[in-house]
């Protein structure tokens, strides 16, 4: 086939993700799309996938994506005439211990929160559904009746046919060799059969996605891992509609196939393939069988299904699957290139995700922004750290090994640490810090008192740090604490049009005089919250912008994408130029006054202002702002001076009993104050009006900004959902988020975050209460509330105002 010389959108890769994306681009958007496959359709990873289709994830949006896949697979054969092998057999997940059972009780609550059917059943019920199974060690199982299985190759061919029916062109046997680029945009896709000029490129190249991305300067952090499973001969007594089976405590999975079983697993000692380039000619190819490595799964599987011991093995499949450093897949707009979108790294969830991932990726490529909150899979969650292939390999293998382990709350990764440390790392270790890791940065989560081992002990209940964090929390409320927040992402925007650029990007009014700072959201065209951050005006033509550690790549790229090309405004990442110390608590002013000659009294340095002050002979940017709800300052010092500034503050603070405090206390402090966390409480699915942040939007000003039209449309009516807080008195309850909110016994939403408020002495949760007819104050306060926590109902009290210092007197004092 002759290649066209131009296409609106070029999709690279003919696996399930590429074919689904091409199908949705053609069907939903009538796009002029061509799909290029270097071998034949499905010849990479798709053809040897096991084909289990599960739907429930901890993110509501990703669960919605997976549910969409199931709905698509159900109806695809009727549209295209090609079978998909879809069978809605349901899925059993087995539990053999109490922690796993607690996890399932929490998952069952999450499922109900997301409108999915999930049941918890007894070992006897499991035995009836799966007679060949030994259930003697089971506590029980979860049962998702709408899960199922499919034939990966058949689904892909059906999607490809559907794409062609809607006008897409598909060319096999053509390899992409490079790109022509102008001003950070791809203008031409270069191939072995000629060049194609195009507007956009979607990289769905599977295990080759990293190499394809690299041709355009894009980092796609993937690691191919060898994943094995067997297909057995027929097993007597195995029903053709037997549920798919996941046995995570034994690290194995099963599905029925032509009267036999497909059985594989996720071992703690996985085998990586290459950290170099994947060979181009790896078409329909596998690795040699490795029964020595697979024996660990075989022995566990036989213990679960004894009939396997005498079953013949028809075939072993040992093929590479693309995995990522955090176990979530990769979607979205690459930060290094304005018109390449990526769909890759599906961590053996590619078949389950394929339909929905293609749907959202097509929408993303057409609109230039995600159609819903897809932050957990957004390629912009990564950073330059992920260009280190060895680091990515180590972390990815750890994530693979945790695929079936119990998901304990607050669990940290161990591999590749420490990677990035602040200048205070050794000092904080001497204070017995227990570190966590965020985007490679080591950050103190809590500080172990003498006699307490400085490490996390994970559990499903209260963890070993609970009381210690309570002491840190109280210390900030009553005295003064110092937080090392050097990992904050920091940018400077300069130029004569810097304010104009920020006027358009920011929902709040940043057109304030130098010396003022503004808390603001950045909105998408739907009015959803893409970021929230602090903008400090240092001069007429210079702004200092601070955001969360994990959002560094995302927020920089979002702002960069929305600066008008004609403006004189330059945005630069200065994260490593500054260390950040947050000095917080009622004694903060006393400590600060002792280390600087600057006037830090309220009249000279009120809340919401920024000053450059001298501490220990260094110029420090002092921002009077807080995330803990107390008097305090963020102190941004030159990175090399951070240690000296810390030492000066600790020495001056000694009479006031100053102490370093960790991120776990920061979380409990912000929960009491009702401060929202982006990514959980506020997301691209939520508007400031729904989130109770309407006060931070400049709708009264005659200044246009991104998202304004959507908010103006919504402003006239009562929102259909509202962000509120809840408290639960029972101290034995542990709130984590995703618990169902009941109003007068009916589900009206779920918690977006949860924790404990040590000052008020109660469990705290936040979430959105929904009502199709609008959520007024009267609607909120007139209901009786309960929360469903691990399938148990518990009374809850609703709070519309902050639970601590509602008038912000302490913050502004």
């Amino acid at each position: 086939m002759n290649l066209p010389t131009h296409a609106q959108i070029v999709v690279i890769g003919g696996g399930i993700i590429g074919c689904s994306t091409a199908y949705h681009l053609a069907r939903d958007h009538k796009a002029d799309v061509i799909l290029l496959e270097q071998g034949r359709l499905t010849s990479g990873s798709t053809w040897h996938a096991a084909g289990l289709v599960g739907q429930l994830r901890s993110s509501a949006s990703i669960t919605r994506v997976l549910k969409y896949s199931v709905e698509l697979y159900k109806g695809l054969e009727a549209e295209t005439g090609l079978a998909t092998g879809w069978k809605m057999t349901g899925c059993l997940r087995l539990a053999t211990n109490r922690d796993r059972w607690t996890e399932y009780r929490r998952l069952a609550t999450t499922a109900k929160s997301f409108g999915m059917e999930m049941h918890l059943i007894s070992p006897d019920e499991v035995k009836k559904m799966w007679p060949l199974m030994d259930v003697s060690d089971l506590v029980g199982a979860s049962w998702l009746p709408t899960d199922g299985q499919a034939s990966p190759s058949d689904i892909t061919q059906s999607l490809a046919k559907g794409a062609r029916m809607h006008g897409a062109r598909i060319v096999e046997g053509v390899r992409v060799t490079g790109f022509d680029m102008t001003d950070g945009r791809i203008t031409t896709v270069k191939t072995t059969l000629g060049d194609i000029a195009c507007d956009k490129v979607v990289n769905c190249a599977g295990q080759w996605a990293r190499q394809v991305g690299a041709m355009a300067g894009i980092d796609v952090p993937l690691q191919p891992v060898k994943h094995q499973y067997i297909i057995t001969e027929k097993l007597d007594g195995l029903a053709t509609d037997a549920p798919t089976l996941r046995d995570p405590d034994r690290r194995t999975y099963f599905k029925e196939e032509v009267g036999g079983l497909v059985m594989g697993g996720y071992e703690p000692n996985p085998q990586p393939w290459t950290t170099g380039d994947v060979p181009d000619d790896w078409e329909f190819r596998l690795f040699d069988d490795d029964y020595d490595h697979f024996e660990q799964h075989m022995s566990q599987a036989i213990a679960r299904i004894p009939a396997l011991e005498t079953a013949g093995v028809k075939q072993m499949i040992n093929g590479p699957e693309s995995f990522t450093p955090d176990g979530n897949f990769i979607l979205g707009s690459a930060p290094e290139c304005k018109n390449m979108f990526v769909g890759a790294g599906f961590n053996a969830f590619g078949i389950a995700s394929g339909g929905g991932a293609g749907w959202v990726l097509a929408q993303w490529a057409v609109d230039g922004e995600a159609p819903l909150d897809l932050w957990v899979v957004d390629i912009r969650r990564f950073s330059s750290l992920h260009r280190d292939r060895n680091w990515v390999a180590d972390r990815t293998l750890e994530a693979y090994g945790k695929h079936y382990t119990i998901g304990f709350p607050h669990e940290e990764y161990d591999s590749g640490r420490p990677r990035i440390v602040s200048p205070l790392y050794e000092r904080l270790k001497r204070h017995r810090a227990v570190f966590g890791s965020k985007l490679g940065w080591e950050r103190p989560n809590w500080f172990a008192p003498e006699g307490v081992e400085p490490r996390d002990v994970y559990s499903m209940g209260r963890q070993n740090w609970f009381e210690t964090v309570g002491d840190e929390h109280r210390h900030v409320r009553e005295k003064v604490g110092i937080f090392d927040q050097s990992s904050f992402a920091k940018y400077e925007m300069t130029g004569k049009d810097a304010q104009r650029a920020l006027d358009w990007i920011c929902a709040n009014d940043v057109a304030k005089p130098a010396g003022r700072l503004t808390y603001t959201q950045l909105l998408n065209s739907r009015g959803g919250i893409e970021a929230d951050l602090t903008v400090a005006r240092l001069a007429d033509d210079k702004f200092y912008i601070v955001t969360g550690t994990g959002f560094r790549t995302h927020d920089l790229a979002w702002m960069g994408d929305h600066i008008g090309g004609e403006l004189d405004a330059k945005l630069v990442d200065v994260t490593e130029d500054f260390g950040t110390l947050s000095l917080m608590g009622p004694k903060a002013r006393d400590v600060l006054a002792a280390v600087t000659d600057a006037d830090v009294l309220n009249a000279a340095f009120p809340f919401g202002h920024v000053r450059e002050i001298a501490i220990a002979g260094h110029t420090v940017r002092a921002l009077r702002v807080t995330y803990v709800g107390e008097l305090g300052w963020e102190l941004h010092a030159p990175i090399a001076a951070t240690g000296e500034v810390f030492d000066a503050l600790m020495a001056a603070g000694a009479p006031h009993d100053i102490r370093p405090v960790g991120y776990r206390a920061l979380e409990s402090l912000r929960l009491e104050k009702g401060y929202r966390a982006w990514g959980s409480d506020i997301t691209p699915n939520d508007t400031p009006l729904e989130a109770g942040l309407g006060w931070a939007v400049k709708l009264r000003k005659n200044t246009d900004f991104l998202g304004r039209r959507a908010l103006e449309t919504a402003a006239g009516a009562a929102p259909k959902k509202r962000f509120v807080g809840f408290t639960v008195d029972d101290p034995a309850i542990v709130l984590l988020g995703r618990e169902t909110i009941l109003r007068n016994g009916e589900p009206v939403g779920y918690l977006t975050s949860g924790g404990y408020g040590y000052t008020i002495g109660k469990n705290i949760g936040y979430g959105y209460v929904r009502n199709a007819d609008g959520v007024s104050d009267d609607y909120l306060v007139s209901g009786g509330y309960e929360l469903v926590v691990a399938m148990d109902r518990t009374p809850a009290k609703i709070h519309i105002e902050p639970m601590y210092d509602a008038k912000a007197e302490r913050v502004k004092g």
Side-chain angles (χ1 to χ4, degrees):
M1 175 179 174
N2 291 329
L3 284 188
T5 57
H6 180 271
Q8 181 189 355
I9 301 176
V10 176
V11 177
I12 302 170
I16 191 167
I17 308 302
C19 288
S20 177
T21 303
Y23 168 82
H24 286 92
L25 282 166
R27 188 195 72 178
D28 297 348
H29 305 286
K30 309 298 181 267
D32 167 27
V33 58
I34 184 166
L35 183 148
L36 307 177
E37 162 55 45
Q38 66 175 353
R40 283 174 289 162
L41 297 184
T42 79
S43 66
S45 303
T46 297
W47 72 276
H48 63 72
L52 279 69
V53 180
Q55 299 165 83
L56 182 62
R57 299 295 281 267
S58 60
S59 154
S61 290
I62 301 306
T63 299
R64 188 176 154 196
V65 168
L66 299 177
K67 283 169 77 172
Y68 176 92
S69 291
V70 166
E71 291 306 310
L72 180 68
Y73 299 162
K74 279 184 192 173
L76 198 57
E77 182 177 353
E79 180 187 347
T80 67
L82 288 185
T84 60
W86 167 250
K87 288 202 296 187
M88 197 168 81
T89 54
C91 178
L92 286 167
R93 286 174 172 82
L94 309 181
T96 67
N97 57 70
R98 282 289 150 196
D99 278 342
R100 182 73 72 181
W101 192 238
T102 300
E103 181 181 49
Y104 286 1
R105 290 172 69 87
R106 288 191 169 278
L107 277 172
T109 303
T110 298
K112 293 219 169 14
S113 291
F114 296 169
M116 280 189 69
E117 189 180 353
M118 180 171 171
H119 307 278
L120 298 177
I121 63 175
S122 69
D124 288 345
E125 291 172 291
V126 173
K127 184 74 173 175
K128 288 194 183 95
M129 295 169 78
W130 244 92
L132 294 180
M133 194 193 307
D134 176 8
V135 299
S136 59
D137 63 338
L138 293 190
V139 178
S142 73
W143 165 239
L144 281 100
T146 59
D147 278 3
Q149 63 190 67
S151 162
S153 293
D154 289 347
I155 284 185
T156 305
Q157 295 292 353
S158 192
L159 285 165
K161 184 176 179 186
R164 290 189 189 102
M165 286 165 59
H166 291 289
R169 288 166 291 182
I170 296 177
V171 184
E172 297 176 290
V174 54
R175 183 173 302 137
V176 173
T177 58
F179 304 101
D180 286 338
M181 301 183 69
T182 304
D183 296 331
R185 298 181 72 87
I186 295 168
T187 56
T188 306
V189 179
K190 305 177 83 62
T191 83
T192 50
L193 296 182
D195 295 352
I196 308 174
C198 65
D199 301 333
K200 294 177 182 177
V201 174
V202 188
N203 175 1
C204 300
Q207 59 198 353
W208 292 273
R210 184 170 68 183
Q211 285 145 250
V212 170
M215 294 177 196
I218 292 160
D219 184 40
V220 184
L222 299 177
Q223 175 59 46
V225 180
K226 297 178 181 181
H227 184 76
Q228 296 189 92
Y229 65 87
I230 58 167
I231 306 169
T232 74
E233 303 284 359
K234 284 193 173 180
L235 285 180
D236 290 338
L238 178 63
T240 56
D241 62 350
T244 59
L245 194 61
R246 287 176 172 84
D247 189 3
D249 295 324
R250 294 184 183 273
R251 298 178 181 272
T252 51
Y253 61 80
F254 307 82
K255 77 162 188 172
E256 184 277 337
E257 188 165 296
V258 207
L261 277 179
V262 167
M263 184 279 286
Y266 293 88
E267 62 274 18
N269 58 333
Q271 298 175 313
W273 190 16
T274 176
T275 54
D277 286 349
V278 174
D280 288 330
D281 59 354
W282 192 270
E283 182 181 346
F284 293 120
R285 283 174 62 184
L286 296 170
F287 305 111
D288 292 339
D289 297 348
D290 188 347
Y291 277 100
D292 289 343
H293 191 73
F294 194 70
E295 168 60 28
Q296 58 190 307
H297 295 315
M298 203 69 222
S299 57
Q300 294 289 347
I302 289 168
R304 177 63 65 216
I305 300 171
L308 274 175
E309 190 159 19
T310 55
V313 175
K314 204 189 305 186
Q315 188 181 9
M316 170 173 271
I317 303 288
N318 184 5
E321 296 265 9
S322 281
F323 285 80
T324 65
D326 61 3
N328 287 321
F329 44 90
I330 299 174
L331 289 181
S333 170
E336 306 96 333
C337 174
K338 289 184 169 63
N339 62 339
M340 180 182 273
F341 297 81
V342 179
F346 280 83
N347 304 282
F349 276 105
I351 309 309
S353 316
W359 159 54
V360 294
L361 194 52
Q363 190 85 44
W364 206 331
V366 168
D367 291 348
E369 62 181 44
L372 59 163
D373 171 27
L374 296 170
W375 168 242
V376 294
V377 297
D378 194 323
I379 191 170
R380 296 180 177 194
R381 71 188 186 273
F382 300 119
S383 70
S384 58
L385 159 73
H386 295 89
R387 291 186 176 273
D388 181 335
R389 289 191 169 189
N390 291 323
W391 189 93
V392 166
D394 291 347
R395 178 58 59 88
T396 301
L397 293 178
E398 184 183 4
Y400 180 104
K402 287 182 171 181
H403 196 85
Y404 274 167
T405 58
I406 293 167
F408 287 111
H410 314 293
E411 191 171 357
E412 296 275 354
Y413 283 101
D414 296 322
S415 57
R417 295 178 56 190
R419 176 62 186 222
I420 307 169
V421 298
S422 94
L424 304 183
Y425 181 67
E426 294 299 332
R427 287 173 173 83
L428 297 176
K429 268 174 82 170
R430 290 195 289 274
H431 282 277
R432 303 176 54 79
V434 181
F435 290 94
S437 176
K438 192 67 170 274
L439 208 65
W441 285 83
E442 292 292 314
R443 313 192 312 177
N445 278 336
W446 58 285
F447 292 83
E450 291 295 336
V452 174
E453 189 181 357
R455 72 180 185 94
D456 288 327
V457 180
Y458 300 122
S459 76
M460 281 296 185
R462 297 279 181 227
Q463 297 189 358
N464 65 317
W465 43 262
F466 181 75
E467 295 297 342
T468 300
V469 169
D471 290 339
E472 293 180 24
H473 175 114
R474 282 183 285 273
H475 201 89
V476 175
R477 289 274 183 256
E478 295 166 9
K479 295 178 181 176
V480 60
I482 190 165
F483 300 82
D484 179 11
Q485 297 190 279
S486 299
S487 64
F488 270 166
K490 307 170 252 320
Y491 324 108
E492 286 180 355
M493 190 181 285
T494 56
K496 67 180 178 59
D497 296 325
Q499 183 197 304
R500 280 181 62 198
L502 288 168
D503 279 342
W504 167 249
I505 294 167
C506 299
N508 206 349
D509 183 14
V510 298
K512 296 170 182 170
R516 296 289 303 278
L517 59 84
T518 306
Y519 165 70
T520 184
Q521 286 84 49
L522 314 185
L523 308 182
N524 56 42
S525 63
R526 305 186 310 277
I529 301 169
E530 286 288 341
D532 79 320
L533 38 76
T534 303
V535 179
R537 189 166 202 169
L538 303 180
D540 284 352
D541 59 353
K542 185 174 185 179
F543 293 82
Y544 183 58
I545 302 165
V546 184
T547 190
T549 305
F551 316 136
R552 178 177 180 176
T553 306
H554 173 274
D555 291 5
L556 181 69
W558 181 268
M559 288 188 285
D561 285 349
H562 293 94
I563 296 173
E566 75 289 353
L567 297 183
D568 173 13
K570 184 181 178 187
L571 183 64
V572 179
D573 187 323
V574 294
T575 298
E576 274 81 16
D577 293 356
F578 295 92
T580 306
L581 300 173
S582 289
L583 182 70
M584 298 287 157
K587 301 292 186 185
R589 181 175 284 121
D590 297 333
V591 177
L592 192 58
V595 295
T596 183
D597 293 334
D599 186 347
V600 296
L601 293 176
N602 205 41
F605 200 159
F607 184 75
H609 283 64
V610 56
R611 301 276 186 272
E612 289 198 332
I613 64 176
I615 301 177
H618 301 284
T619 301
V620 174
R621 293 175 179 175
L623 282 61
R624 182 140 177 229
V625 64
T626 179
Y627 195 53
V628 303
E630 297 293 339
L631 170 68
W633 283 264
E634 272 178 25
L635 303 170
H636 295 250
I639 193 90
T642 310
E644 290 176 49
V645 173
F646 175 82
D647 292 343
L649 291 165
M650 290 297 288
H656 306 288
D657 199 16
I658 195 172
R659 61 185 280 191
V661 179
Y663 271 81
R664 296 258 162 85
L666 188 79
E667 175 69 4
S668 66
L669 290 158
R670 76 98 187 164
L671 284 169
E672 282 186 338
K673 195 70 180 73
Y675 292 144
R676 283 74 160 146
W678 191 84
S680 52
D681 302 323
I682 49 177
T683 76
N685 290 350
D686 313 305
T687 71
L689 306 179
E690 296 164 336
L693 297 170
W695 57 268
V697 178
K698 57 188 179 222
L699 279 178
R700 288 194 192 88
K701 274 198 79 173
N702 196 25
T703 308
D704 199 11
F705 60 89
L706 183 57
R708 180 172 187 128
R709 303 222 184 345
L711 293 193
E712 284 175 334
T713 303
K720 292 182 167 43
K721 65 178 190 182
R722 289 258 307 270
F723 186 79
V724 292
F726 295 93
T727 50
V728 171
D729 290 340
D730 183 352
I733 296 286
V734 177
L735 297 181
L736 299 170
R738 307 296 175 265
E739 294 85 358
T740 309
I741 303 166
L742 302 178
R743 180 184 180 274
N744 299 338
E746 294 297 317
V748 290
Y750 55 89
L751 297 189
T752 51
S753 61
Y756 193 79
Y758 295 93
T759 308
I760 65 171
K762 296 178 192 293
N763 291 290
I764 297 173
Y766 289 97
Y768 290 87
V769 170
R770 292 164 166 82
N771 180 35
D773 295 327
V775 183
S776 63
D777 283 0
D778 183 58
Y779 177 85
L780 288 172
V781 300
S782 63
Y785 292 91
E786 297 167 284
L787 298 178
V788 184
V789 184
M791 296 301 283
D792 290 331
R793 290 162 72 141
T794 184
K797 182 182 177 188
I798 192 168
H799 300 262
I800 299 176
E801 296 294 321
M803 300 166 201
Y804 175 82
D805 187 27
K807 293 188 171 62
E809 288 162 352
R810 294 175 73 89
V811 169
K812 295 175 180 173

